[in-house]
Amino acid sequence: MVIKCGCSAEAKYLVYEHEEPHCMECMLDAVECKNQVLVRVIDDAYANSLQRKQ
């Protein structure tokens, strides 16, 4: 299952507390601020859990 970023690219990261899917470029834009931003790499286990929910 391919998870998409808001810009339509393939998402590789989950950003913020809401775990919003982002590609690398959008994730780097998101973390370029003075506030701490949570980032997680999307792994197979996460993608599989999303697939089970659908």
Side-chain angles (χ1 to χ4, degrees):
M1 173 181 189
V2 176
I3 301 169
K4 295 288 186 176
C5 177
C7 72
S8 300
E10 183 178 356
K12 296 286 186 182
Y13 302 92
L14 299 172
V15 184
Y16 307 116
E17 295 82 20
H18 320 352
E19 297 186 343
E20 299 170 17
H22 282 60
C23 65
M24 180 178 278
E25 186 174 335
C26 292
M27 178 273 295
L28 291 174
D29 285 342
V31 300
E32 198 170 293
C33 64
K34 53 185 159 178
N35 298 330
Q36 182 178 9
V37 177
L38 300 173
V39 176
R40 241 179 86 179
V41 175
I42 294 176
D43 58 10
D44 290 339
Y46 180 82
N48 290 339
S49 72
L50 281 182
Q51 216 169 20
R52 283 191 295 262
K53 289 180 184 178
Q54 293 180 351

